[in-house]
Amino acid sequence: MKPADKALIIDLKERTSLWFANLRDEICTAFEILEAEATGPFFAEATVPGRFERKPWTRTNGGGGTMAMMHGRVFEKVGVHVSVVHGVLPGELRHTIDGAEEDAQFWAAGLSLIAHPWNPHAPTVHMNTRFIATTRAWFGGGADLTPMLKARRSQDDADALLFHEGLRSVCGDTERYQRYRTWCDEYFHLNHRNEPRGIGGIFYDRLWSGDPEADFAFTRNVGLAFLKTYPEIMRRNINKPWTEEERIAQEIQRGRYVEFNLLQDRGTLFGLKTGGNIESILSSLPPRVRWP
């Protein structure tokens, strides 16, 4: 890597780390506002507006991060985590991470979010954005929506339309949006059940177009699109009444979420294999699940 390239990467490391932390703060604020303004109905064991609790952690082999967790009356469980880690990739990953075969040193920063609402009508959501550097560098991330009720898992559902339109606007052109949307559908597919995890979104990885400012701007805009659309989707759903049958259906669908995260998700496996924070990595799992 040329000296000019190294200077560029150092600059991007500083700016991306700051951006992920700032976005985390904005999302936490937006979610706490949802907790405060909701009018119910609420579950009997969750009637107090939630507030995020932050917990820093240190990675033994370099870097660390901060977990931000909340258990409230709107969100049964939500985590918004930021990490900046570095070190040497284990041998089993050096052939799967771009640029690591030449030099196993790596640096990675990112924001990872998972939200599990109480109300079965409100969809679970996942979003993450990241910047990774080995002897190469790239951006990645995306967002996907998982309605809990079968009746809401249509691409024509109002929530799905709003979510996808927000992501479409970020992509700028139809070809890019369709490519990232297809990538998301293929990635978040439960292979052992041959079914989608939800109604999709976008997914991208190894984004390094030759214009790092444009790539960074795109990554920022993915986060901002999420910040605009998901709170609106929540406001549409969090005050709807539910039935016990709908709660059971929600817990069954959450079981599918657990299966994907533990069996297939590359981010989960990367975190575990590089000595990440176990509590943070597994915070994506919902608090209550059911297998019929």
Side-chain angles (χ1 to χ4, degrees), residues 84-117:
V84 180
V85 298
H86 56 85
V88 179
L89 287 167
E92 60 190 302
L93 291 180
R94 295 175 190 179
H95 302 295
T96 63
I97 303 296
D98 288 4
E101 288 187 279
E102 305 167 42
D103 185 339
Q105 295 286 332
F106 82 99
W107 184 97
L111 177 148
S112 180
L113 176 151
I114 179 68
H116 295 291

mmCIF file of all heavy atoms in Angstrom, residues 84-117:
data_model
loop_
_atom_site.group_PDB
_atom_site.id
_atom_site.type_symbol
_atom_site.label_atom_id
_atom_site.label_comp_id
_atom_site.label_asym_id
_atom_site.label_seq_id
_atom_site.Cartn_x
_atom_site.Cartn_y
_atom_site.Cartn_z
ATOM 1 N N VAL A 84 -14.638 -0.803 17.545
ATOM 2 C CA VAL A 84 -13.435 -0.510 16.762
ATOM 3 C C VAL A 84 -12.386 -1.511 17.234
ATOM 4 O O VAL A 84 -11.885 -1.399 18.355
ATOM 5 C CB VAL A 84 -12.939 0.936 16.972
ATOM 6 C CG1 VAL A 84 -11.689 1.185 16.131
ATOM 7 C CG2 VAL A 84 -14.024 1.950 16.638
ATOM 8 N N VAL A 85 -12.081 -2.487 16.390
ATOM 9 C CA VAL A 85 -11.182 -3.561 16.799
ATOM 10 C C VAL A 85 -10.050 -3.719 15.783
ATOM 11 O O VAL A 85 -10.192 -3.349 14.611
ATOM 12 C CB VAL A 85 -11.934 -4.899 16.959
ATOM 13 C CG1 VAL A 85 -12.989 -4.784 18.049
ATOM 14 C CG2 VAL A 85 -12.576 -5.328 15.645
ATOM 15 N N HIS A 86 -8.943 -4.273 16.242
ATOM 16 C CA HIS A 86 -7.790 -4.471 15.362
ATOM 17 C C HIS A 86 -6.944 -5.599 15.913
ATOM 18 O O HIS A 86 -7.100 -6.028 17.063
ATOM 19 C CB HIS A 86 -6.958 -3.185 15.265
ATOM 20 C CG HIS A 86 -6.495 -2.659 16.596
ATOM 21 N ND1 HIS A 86 -5.347 -3.100 17.222
ATOM 22 C CD2 HIS A 86 -7.057 -1.749 17.437
ATOM 23 C CE1 HIS A 86 -5.204 -2.475 18.373
ATOM 24 N NE2 HIS A 86 -6.233 -1.643 18.540
ATOM 25 N N GLY A 87 -6.050 -6.111 15.067
ATOM 26 C CA GLY A 87 -5.186 -7.196 15.505
ATOM 27 C C GLY A 87 -4.810 -8.084 14.340
ATOM 28 O O GLY A 87 -4.687 -7.622 13.205
ATOM 29 N N VAL A 88 -4.672 -9.368 14.628
ATOM 30 C CA VAL A 88 -4.257 -10.349 13.627
ATOM 31 C C VAL A 88 -5.382 -11.356 13.435
ATOM 32 O O VAL A 88 -5.880 -11.927 14.402
ATOM 33 C CB VAL A 88 -2.963 -11.070 14.062
ATOM 34 C CG1 VAL A 88 -2.560 -12.109 13.028
ATOM 35 C CG2 VAL A 88 -1.845 -10.057 14.288
ATOM 36 N N LEU A 89 -5.773 -11.564 12.196
ATOM 37 C CA LEU A 89 -6.831 -12.527 11.901
ATOM 38 C C LEU A 89 -6.347 -13.947 12.145
ATOM 39 O O LEU A 89 -5.206 -14.290 11.807
ATOM 40 C CB LEU A 89 -7.277 -12.394 10.448
ATOM 41 C CG LEU A 89 -8.101 -11.159 10.096
ATOM 42 C CD1 LEU A 89 -8.192 -11.009 8.587
ATOM 43 C CD2 LEU A 89 -9.488 -11.236 10.716
ATOM 44 N N PRO A 90 -7.200 -14.788 12.722
ATOM 45 C CA PRO A 90 -6.819 -16.194 12.890
ATOM 46 C C PRO A 90 -6.668 -16.858 11.522
ATOM 47 O O PRO A 90 -7.259 -16.420 10.523
ATOM 48 C CB PRO A 90 -7.986 -16.776 13.685
ATOM 49 C CG PRO A 90 -9.130 -15.858 13.432
ATOM 50 C CD PRO A 90 -8.542 -14.502 13.254
ATOM 51 N N GLY A 91 -5.901 -17.934 11.480
ATOM 52 C CA GLY A 91 -5.593 -18.597 10.220
ATOM 53 C C GLY A 91 -6.807 -18.989 9.410
ATOM 54 O O GLY A 91 -6.807 -18.895 8.181
ATOM 55 N N GLU A 92 -7.873 -19.421 10.074
ATOM 56 C CA GLU A 92 -9.055 -19.896 9.359
ATOM 57 C C GLU A 92 -9.785 -18.788 8.612
ATOM 58 O O GLU A 92 -10.592 -19.066 7.716
ATOM 59 C CB GLU A 92 -10.012 -20.569 10.337
ATOM 60 C CG GLU A 92 -10.506 -19.652 11.450
ATOM 61 C CD GLU A 92 -11.261 -20.412 12.519
ATOM 62 O OE1 GLU A 92 -12.263 -21.063 12.187
ATOM 63 O OE2 GLU A 92 -10.829 -20.359 13.675
ATOM 64 N N LEU A 93 -9.527 -17.525 8.968
ATOM 65 C CA LEU A 93 -10.188 -16.413 8.296
ATOM 66 C C LEU A 93 -9.332 -15.741 7.227
ATOM 67 O O LEU A 93 -9.842 -14.959 6.432
ATOM 68 C CB LEU A 93 -10.614 -15.354 9.325
ATOM 69 C CG LEU A 93 -11.738 -15.720 10.281
ATOM 70 C CD1 LEU A 93 -12.024 -14.551 11.209
ATOM 71 C CD2 LEU A 93 -13.012 -16.092 9.522
ATOM 72 N N ARG A 94 -8.053 -16.041 7.191
ATOM 73 C CA ARG A 94 -7.149 -15.308 6.300
ATOM 74 C C ARG A 94 -7.431 -15.576 4.823
ATOM 75 O O ARG A 94 -7.094 -14.756 3.980
ATOM 76 C CB ARG A 94 -5.694 -15.654 6.636
ATOM 77 C CG ARG A 94 -5.300 -15.176 8.021
ATOM 78 C CD ARG A 94 -3.897 -15.612 8.408
ATOM 79 N NE ARG A 94 -3.660 -15.343 9.827
ATOM 80 C CZ ARG A 94 -2.534 -15.639 10.469
ATOM 81 N NH1 ARG A 94 -1.527 -16.202 9.807
ATOM 82 N NH2 ARG A 94 -2.415 -15.383 11.757
ATOM 83 N N HIS A 95 -8.046 -16.693 4.529
ATOM 84 C CA HIS A 95 -8.356 -17.009 3.142
ATOM 85 C C HIS A 95 -9.754 -16.522 2.751
ATOM 86 O O HIS A 95 -10.133 -16.645 1.581
ATOM 87 C CB HIS A 95 -8.257 -18.524 2.903
ATOM 88 C CG HIS A 95 -6.908 -19.084 3.230
ATOM 89 N ND1 HIS A 95 -5.769 -18.743 2.532
ATOM 90 C CD2 HIS A 95 -6.505 -19.947 4.198
ATOM 91 C CE1 HIS A 95 -4.730 -19.378 3.033
ATOM 92 N NE2 HIS A 95 -5.141 -20.113 4.056
ATOM 93 N N THR A 96 -10.503 -15.974 3.693
ATOM 94 C CA THR A 96 -11.866 -15.528 3.404
ATOM 95 C C THR A 96 -12.023 -14.015 3.480
ATOM 96 O O THR A 96 -13.052 -13.488 3.063
ATOM 97 C CB THR A 96 -12.865 -16.173 4.386
ATOM 98 O OG1 THR A 96 -12.575 -15.742 5.727
ATOM 99 C CG2 THR A 96 -12.777 -17.688 4.333
ATOM 100 N N ILE A 97 -11.024 -13.308 4.017
ATOM 101 C CA ILE A 97 -11.074 -11.858 4.142
ATOM 102 C C ILE A 97 -10.140 -11.235 3.110
ATOM 103 O O ILE A 97 -8.941 -11.565 3.076
ATOM 104 C CB ILE A 97 -10.659 -11.403 5.559
ATOM 105 C CG1 ILE A 97 -11.547 -12.074 6.619
ATOM 106 C CG2 ILE A 97 -10.737 -9.887 5.673
ATOM 107 C CD1 ILE A 97 -12.993 -11.700 6.568
ATOM 108 N N ASP A 98 -10.660 -10.351 2.287
ATOM 109 C CA ASP A 98 -9.853 -9.734 1.234
ATOM 110 C C ASP A 98 -8.603 -9.075 1.804
ATOM 111 O O ASP A 98 -8.677 -8.327 2.779
ATOM 112 C CB ASP A 98 -10.678 -8.679 0.489
ATOM 113 C CG ASP A 98 -11.730 -9.292 -0.405
ATOM 114 O OD1 ASP A 98 -11.871 -10.519 -0.381
ATOM 115 O OD2 ASP A 98 -12.413 -8.530 -1.124
ATOM 116 N N GLY A 99 -7.458 -9.348 1.189
ATOM 117 C CA GLY A 99 -6.208 -8.712 1.570
ATOM 118 C C GLY A 99 -5.491 -9.349 2.734
ATOM 119 O O GLY A 99 -4.369 -8.956 3.064
ATOM 120 N N ALA A 100 -6.120 -10.342 3.381
ATOM 121 C CA ALA A 100 -5.521 -10.920 4.587
ATOM 122 C C ALA A 100 -4.495 -12.001 4.292
ATOM 123 O O ALA A 100 -3.688 -12.336 5.158
ATOM 124 C CB ALA A 100 -6.613 -11.486 5.490
ATOM 125 N N GLU A 101 -4.504 -12.545 3.090
ATOM 126 C CA GLU A 101 -3.517 -13.569 2.766
ATOM 127 C C GLU A 101 -2.116 -12.980 2.700
ATOM 128 O O GLU A 101 -1.129 -13.637 3.038
ATOM 129 C CB GLU A 101 -3.879 -14.246 1.446
ATOM 130 C CG GLU A 101 -5.086 -15.165 1.559
ATOM 131 C CD GLU A 101 -5.319 -15.954 0.289
ATOM 132 O OE1 GLU A 101 -5.909 -15.404 -0.653
ATOM 133 O OE2 GLU A 101 -4.893 -17.129 0.244
ATOM 134 N N GLU A 102 -2.022 -11.703 2.273
ATOM 135 C CA GLU A 102 -0.722 -11.037 2.197
ATOM 136 C C GLU A 102 -0.230 -10.614 3.580
ATOM 137 O O GLU A 102 0.951 -10.700 3.883
ATOM 138 C CB GLU A 102 -0.830 -9.801 1.304
ATOM 139 C CG GLU A 102 -1.380 -10.077 -0.089
ATOM 140 C CD GLU A 102 -1.755 -8.791 -0.802
ATOM 141 O OE1 GLU A 102 -0.987 -7.812 -0.702
ATOM 142 O OE2 GLU A 102 -2.812 -8.759 -1.456
ATOM 143 N N ASP A 103 -1.165 -10.160 4.408
ATOM 144 C CA ASP A 103 -0.829 -9.668 5.750
ATOM 145 C C ASP A 103 -2.068 -9.848 6.609
ATOM 146 O O ASP A 103 -3.139 -9.332 6.286
ATOM 147 C CB ASP A 103 -0.423 -8.196 5.686
ATOM 148 C CG ASP A 103 0.053 -7.666 7.039
ATOM 149 O OD1 ASP A 103 -0.274 -8.261 8.081
ATOM 150 O OD2 ASP A 103 0.755 -6.629 7.038
ATOM 151 N N ALA A 104 -1.951 -10.584 7.696
ATOM 152 C CA ALA A 104 -3.116 -10.935 8.515
ATOM 153 C C ALA A 104 -3.570 -9.817 9.449
ATOM 154 O O ALA A 104 -4.531 -9.978 10.188
ATOM 155 C CB ALA A 104 -2.827 -12.188 9.329
ATOM 156 N N GLN A 105 -2.874 -8.678 9.448
ATOM 157 C CA GLN A 105 -3.303 -7.549 10.278
ATOM 158 C C GLN A 105 -4.645 -7.009 9.749
ATOM 159 O O GLN A 105 -4.836 -6.882 8.541
ATOM 160 C CB GLN A 105 -2.259 -6.432 10.230
ATOM 161 C CG GLN A 105 -0.917 -6.796 10.828
ATOM 162 C CD GLN A 105 -0.950 -6.855 12.345
ATOM 163 O OE1 GLN A 105 -1.739 -6.167 12.993
ATOM 164 N NE2 GLN A 105 -0.079 -7.679 12.909
ATOM 165 N N PHE A 106 -5.546 -6.679 10.667
ATOM 166 C CA PHE A 106 -6.828 -6.122 10.247
ATOM 167 C C PHE A 106 -7.257 -5.012 11.197
ATOM 168 O O PHE A 106 -6.785 -4.898 12.332
ATOM 169 C CB PHE A 106 -7.906 -7.203 10.189
ATOM 170 C CG PHE A 106 -8.538 -7.508 11.539
ATOM 171 C CD1 PHE A 106 -9.756 -6.959 11.903
ATOM 172 C CD2 PHE A 106 -7.885 -8.332 12.453
ATOM 173 C CE1 PHE A 106 -10.321 -7.220 13.146
ATOM 174 C CE2 PHE A 106 -8.443 -8.601 13.698
ATOM 175 C CZ PHE A 106 -9.674 -8.036 14.045
ATOM 176 N N TRP A 107 -8.165 -4.188 10.709
ATOM 177 C CA TRP A 107 -8.801 -3.125 11.489
ATOM 178 C C TRP A 107 -10.251 -3.074 11.044
ATOM 179 O O TRP A 107 -10.539 -3.139 9.843
ATOM 180 C CB TRP A 107 -8.117 -1.785 11.231
ATOM 181 C CG TRP A 107 -8.617 -0.629 12.053
ATOM 182 C CD1 TRP A 107 -8.068 -0.151 13.205
ATOM 183 C CD2 TRP A 107 -9.735 0.217 11.768
ATOM 184 N NE1 TRP A 107 -8.782 0.927 13.666
ATOM 185 C CE2 TRP A 107 -9.814 1.181 12.799
ATOM 186 C CE3 TRP A 107 -10.684 0.251 10.743
ATOM 187 C CZ2 TRP A 107 -10.808 2.157 12.838
ATOM 188 C CZ3 TRP A 107 -11.681 1.219 10.770
ATOM 189 C CH2 TRP A 107 -11.725 2.162 11.814
ATOM 190 N N ALA A 108 -11.178 -2.979 11.985
ATOM 191 C CA ALA A 108 -12.596 -2.948 11.625
ATOM 192 C C ALA A 108 -13.368 -2.083 12.605
ATOM 193 O O ALA A 108 -13.174 -2.171 13.822
ATOM 194 C CB ALA A 108 -13.170 -4.366 11.620
ATOM 195 N N ALA A 109 -14.228 -1.239 12.060
ATOM 196 C CA ALA A 109 -15.120 -0.422 12.880
ATOM 197 C C ALA A 109 -16.521 -0.541 12.320
ATOM 198 O O ALA A 109 -16.720 -0.719 11.108
ATOM 199 C CB ALA A 109 -14.673 1.046 12.872
ATOM 200 N N GLY A 110 -17.505 -0.450 13.192
ATOM 201 C CA GLY A 110 -18.859 -0.541 12.691
ATOM 202 C C GLY A 110 -19.911 -0.298 13.754
ATOM 203 O O GLY A 110 -19.615 -0.210 14.950
ATOM 204 N N LEU A 111 -21.114 -0.162 13.272
ATOM 205 C CA LEU A 111 -22.302 -0.065 14.116
ATOM 206 C C LEU A 111 -23.191 -1.251 13.788
ATOM 207 O O LEU A 111 -23.412 -1.562 12.615
ATOM 208 C CB LEU A 111 -23.050 1.243 13.858
ATOM 209 C CG LEU A 111 -24.367 1.450 14.625
ATOM 210 C CD1 LEU A 111 -24.587 2.934 14.910
ATOM 211 C CD2 LEU A 111 -25.575 0.901 13.860
ATOM 212 N N SER A 112 -23.702 -1.911 14.810
ATOM 213 C CA SER A 112 -24.600 -3.045 14.621
ATOM 214 C C SER A 112 -25.821 -2.864 15.502
ATOM 215 O O SER A 112 -25.699 -2.565 16.698
ATOM 216 C CB SER A 112 -23.886 -4.350 14.981
ATOM 217 O OG SER A 112 -24.751 -5.460 14.809
ATOM 218 N N LEU A 113 -26.997 -3.023 14.899
ATOM 219 C CA LEU A 113 -28.253 -2.780 15.611
ATOM 220 C C LEU A 113 -29.207 -3.941 15.390
ATOM 221 O O LEU A 113 -29.327 -4.460 14.291
ATOM 222 C CB LEU A 113 -28.886 -1.490 15.093
ATOM 223 C CG LEU A 113 -30.264 -1.089 15.628
ATOM 224 C CD1 LEU A 113 -30.407 0.429 15.597
ATOM 225 C CD2 LEU A 113 -31.422 -1.712 14.832
ATOM 226 N N ILE A 114 -29.885 -4.332 16.463
ATOM 227 C CA ILE A 114 -30.982 -5.290 16.375
ATOM 228 C C ILE A 114 -32.067 -4.855 17.340
ATOM 229 O O ILE A 114 -31.779 -4.542 18.502
ATOM 230 C CB ILE A 114 -30.515 -6.726 16.675
ATOM 231 C CG1 ILE A 114 -31.674 -7.711 16.609
ATOM 232 C CG2 ILE A 114 -29.790 -6.803 18.001
ATOM 233 C CD1 ILE A 114 -32.244 -7.912 15.244
ATOM 234 N N ALA A 115 -33.310 -4.796 16.857
ATOM 235 C CA ALA A 115 -34.424 -4.342 17.697
ATOM 236 C C ALA A 115 -35.549 -5.366 17.666
ATOM 237 O O ALA A 115 -36.000 -5.773 16.586
ATOM 238 C CB ALA A 115 -34.940 -2.988 17.211
ATOM 239 N N HIS A 116 -35.979 -5.779 18.855
ATOM 240 C CA HIS A 116 -37.097 -6.708 19.008
ATOM 241 C C HIS A 116 -38.209 -6.005 19.788
ATOM 242 O O HIS A 116 -38.154 -5.901 21.022
ATOM 243 C CB HIS A 116 -36.653 -7.959 19.770
ATOM 244 C CG HIS A 116 -35.644 -8.800 19.049
ATOM 245 N ND1 HIS A 116 -35.959 -9.514 17.914
ATOM 246 C CD2 HIS A 116 -34.329 -9.033 19.306
ATOM 247 C CE1 HIS A 116 -34.874 -10.167 17.501
ATOM 248 N NE2 HIS A 116 -33.883 -9.892 18.328
ATOM 249 N N PRO A 117 -39.229 -5.479 19.110
ATOM 250 C CA PRO A 117 -40.336 -4.821 19.816
ATOM 251 C C PRO A 117 -41.207 -5.830 20.567
ATOM 252 O O PRO A 117 -41.244 -7.017 20.242
ATOM 253 C CB PRO A 117 -41.131 -4.163 18.682
ATOM 254 C CG PRO A 117 -40.205 -4.140 17.505
ATOM 255 C CD PRO A 117 -39.339 -5.347 17.660
#
